[in-house]
C-alpha cells in the first residue's frame, strides 16, 4: 500500500482544540512561507527570470530543511525530557530492540545528579565500575557523555575540595583501563579512532596531576569549629562514618580526634557492620597482649571481602513497569501500589541490568 504523505519520518501535523473542533496549526509553516516571500521580494529586483527560478528553488529547499530541523529538535527535546528509561532486554510484539548501558547512561541525567550531595558518591561508584569493565561497551555518544560528566566531577572537586580520595581512586582505575586498551589496540574493539583514546588517556593523567597538586586551604572562621565540640559529640560523629579511611583522615585533624579515632570499640563496630563473624575467624589479628587489633582487621578484611555500600540516594527499579528512574523524579507507574514495586538499584546491579 503506497504511503500518501510528505515524509514517513516526520512527526506529523500539530493540532489545536477550538470551539469548532480540532484544527491544524500551521503557524510554523506560515512563518516559513513568509520567510520565502521576503527572500523573493528582496531579490526579485536584481534577478532575471532564469536566476529567479533557481533562487526560489534554493529558498524552498532551505525552508524545508529548517522546518525539518525544527520538528527534529522538538522531538528530541520531548523524548529526553523524562529522567527514566524502560529497560527491555529482548524484542516483543510491542517493542523491538533492547536497551543498552550507553542509552541508559545518556537518559538518566547523571550530569545534574553529581550536583546533588546525596547522589554524588553513587554516580562516582557507577563511573568507576564502568571504567573497570564496561567502557568499551559504551557507544560513541555515551563515551563522550561519560568523559564530560567526569570532567565536571573533577572541576567540582578542584573547586570545593570535597571527596578528592574517591575521584583519585576512580581516575586510577580509569587510567589503568585506558593504558590496557591503548597498548592492546586490535585485541579489543574500540569505538572511535585510537588517537581519541590516547587523547583521553592524556586528559586523565592531567586530571590526576591536578588532584595530586591540590592543596586544602585553611579556612579562617571566628565562629564555632569542630574542635570546640565536646568529646561525646565528636565521638558520636566518628561512629556515624561507614568508611575506615574517612575515620583515619578525620583523626589527622587534631590530637583529640586522633585519640578518638584509635578507639578499639569504634573499629570493632565498623568491622561488625561490614563483615560476618565467619570472616573474622579466618583473619584474626592479635596484639602482643592477646587483644584483637580491630583496626588492622578492618583493612585486612577489606582486601578479601566487599564492604557494605551506603548511599544517600540511588536509582530505583520498578518491577511492575520495568522502568529505571530517580525516586524523586518519579515515573508513570500503572501499579495499584507503586511503592511496593520499587527496588533500590546499587551501582553493580545497574551494570548487571544491561548484561545480555
Amino acid at each position: 500500500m503506497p504511503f500518501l504523505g510528505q515524509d514517513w519520518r516526520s512527526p506529523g501535523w500539530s493540532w489545536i482544540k477550538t470551539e469548532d473542533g480540532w484544527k491544524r496549526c500551521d503557524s510554523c509553516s506560515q512563518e516559513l512561507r513568509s520567510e520565502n516571500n521576503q527572500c523573493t521580494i528582496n531579490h526579485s529586483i536584481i534577478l532575471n527570470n532564469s536566476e529567479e527560478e533557481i533562487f526560489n528553488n534554493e529558498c524552498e529547499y532551505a525552508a524545508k530543511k529548517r522546518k525539518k530541523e525544527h520538528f527534529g529538535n522538538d522531538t528530541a527535546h520531548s523524548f529526553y525530557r523524562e529522567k527514566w528509561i524502560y529497560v527491555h532486554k529482548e524484542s516483543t510484539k510491542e517493542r523491538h530492540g533492547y536497551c543498552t548501558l550507553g542509552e541508559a547512561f545518556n537518559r538518566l541525567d547523571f550530569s545534574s545528579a553529581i550536583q546533588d550531595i546525596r547522589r554524588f558518591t553513587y554516580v562516582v561508584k557507577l563511573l568507576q565500575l564502568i571504567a573497570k569493565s564496561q567502557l568499551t561497551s559504551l557507544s560513541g555518544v555515551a563515551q563522550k557523555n561519560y568523559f564530560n560528566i567526569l570532567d565536571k566531577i573533577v572541576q567540582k572537586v578542584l573547586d570545593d575540595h570535597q571527596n578528592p580520595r574517591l575521584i583519585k581512586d576512580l581516575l586510577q582505575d580509569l587510567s589503568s583501563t585506558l593504558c590496557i586498551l591503548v597498548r592492546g589496540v586490535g585485541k579489543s574493539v574500540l569505538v572511535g579512532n585510537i588517537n581519541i583514546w590516547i587523547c583521553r588517556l592524556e586528559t586523565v593523567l592531567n586530571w590526576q596531576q591536578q588532584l595530586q597538586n591540590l592543596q586544602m586551604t585553611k579556612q579562617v572562621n571566628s565562629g564555632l569549629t569542630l574542635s570546640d565540640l565536646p568529646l561525646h559529640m565528636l565521638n558520636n560523629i566518628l561512629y556515624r562514618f561507614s568508611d575506615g579511611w574517612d575515620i583515619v583522615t578525620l583523626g589527622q585533624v587534631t590530637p583529640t580526634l586522633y585519640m578518638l579515632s584509635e578507639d578499639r570499640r569504634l573499629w570493632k563496630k565498623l568491622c561488625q557492620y561490614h563483615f560476618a563473624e565467619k570472616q573474622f575467624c579466618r583473619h584474626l589479628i592479635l596484639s602482643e597482649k592477646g587483644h584483637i587489633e580491630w583496626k588492622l582487621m578492618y583493612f585486612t578484611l577489606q582486601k578479601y571481602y566487599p564492604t557494605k555500600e551506603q548511599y544517600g540516594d540511588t536509582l530505583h527499579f520498578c518491577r511492575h513497569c520495568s522502568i529505571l528512574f530517580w525516586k524523586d523524579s518519579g515515573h508513570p507507574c500503572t501499579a495499584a501500589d507503586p511503592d511496593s514495586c520499587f527496588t533500590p538499584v546499587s551501582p553493580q546491579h545497574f551494570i548487571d541490568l544491561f548484561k545480555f
Side-chain angles (χ1 to χ4, degrees), residues 79-87 99-114 119 122-123 126 130 145 149 314-317 322-331 345 350-351 353-354:
F79 183 72
Y80 289 102
R81 182 173 54 192
E82 300 294 346
K83 299 178 182 179
W84 53 266
I85 186 169
Y86 178 82
V87 181
C99 180
T100 63
L101 176 63
E103 184 180 357
F105 191 78
N106 292 334
R107 288 283 301 275
L108 291 172
D109 195 22
F110 289 106
S111 181
S112 62
I114 62 176
R119 301 175 179 174
Y122 181 85
V123 176
L126 180 58
I130 292 176
N145 192 15
I149 293 174
T314 66
L315 286 168
H316 283 69
F317 182 75
S322 296
I323 287 179
L324 195 62
F325 64 98
W326 293 106
K327 190 172 183 180
D328 59 351
S329 301
H331 76 288
V345 178
F350 179 88
I351 300 294
L353 280 175
F354 303 98

Side-chain angles (χ1 to χ4, degrees), residues 16-210:
I16 57 174
K17 190 174 183 180
T18 63
E19 296 179 355
D20 300 330
W22 288 90
K23 291 186 177 181
R24 196 173 69 196
C25 179
D26 296 332
S27 59
C28 181
S29 59
Q30 289 177 359
E31 292 177 0
L32 296 175
R33 290 195 196 99
S34 63
E35 290 182 6
N36 290 342
N37 295 335
Q38 186 67 26
C39 290
T40 305
I41 293 173
N42 292 339
H43 293 79
S44 60
I45 301 175
I46 58 175
L47 296 175
N48 55 29
N49 293 335
S50 60
E51 292 174 340
E52 183 177 0
E53 183 178 357
I54 296 174
F55 181 78
N56 288 338
N57 293 335
E58 291 178 351
C59 282
E60 184 178 358
Y61 173 77
K64 289 182 178 180
K65 185 177 181 180
R66 286 196 300 269
K67 182 178 180 181
K68 182 178 180 180
E69 291 176 352
H70 170 75
F71 284 117
N73 293 336
D74 287 350
T75 306
H77 178 71
S78 61
F79 183 72
Y80 289 102
R81 182 173 54 192
E82 300 294 346
K83 299 178 182 179
W84 53 266
I85 186 169
Y86 178 82
V87 181
H88 52 107
K89 298 185 177 182
E90 58 185 4
S91 297
T92 62
K93 293 181 179 180
E94 295 79 12
R95 293 179 179 269
H96 295 279
Y98 55 91
C99 180
T100 63
L101 176 63
E103 184 180 357
F105 191 78
N106 292 334
R107 288 283 301 275
L108 291 172
D109 195 22
F110 289 106
S111 181
S112 62
I114 62 176
Q115 304 300 329
D116 191 337
I117 191 173
R118 301 171 302 167
R119 301 175 179 174
F120 183 83
T121 308
Y122 181 85
V123 176
V124 170
K125 182 64 176 178
L126 180 58
L127 294 180
Q128 190 172 11
L129 291 177
I130 292 176
K132 288 181 178 179
S133 60
Q134 302 295 321
L135 194 60
T136 55
S137 67
L138 298 179
S139 64
V141 176
Q143 289 177 10
K144 185 177 180 181
N145 192 15
Y146 179 93
F147 283 94
N148 287 338
I149 293 174
L150 191 56
D151 183 25
K152 293 181 181 180
I153 290 177
V154 173
Q155 297 305 320
K156 182 178 184 299
V157 173
L158 293 175
D159 293 338
D160 59 20
H161 298 174
Q162 295 182 10
N163 300 304
R165 180 174 56 83
L166 294 176
I167 311 307
K168 288 180 181 179
D169 294 341
L170 166 60
L171 294 179
Q172 181 62 38
D173 292 335
L174 180 59
S175 62
S176 301
T177 302
L178 290 176
C179 285
I180 295 173
L181 293 176
V182 171
R183 291 173 182 173
V185 59
K187 297 180 180 179
S188 60
V189 179
L190 297 180
V191 178
N193 191 282
I194 182 63
N195 294 324
I196 296 178
W197 290 92
I198 295 175
C199 182
R200 288 170 177 170
L201 177 58
E202 294 175 351
T203 302
V204 172
L205 295 177
N206 185 30
W207 287 338
Q208 286 181 308
Q209 188 63 37
Q210 292 180 16

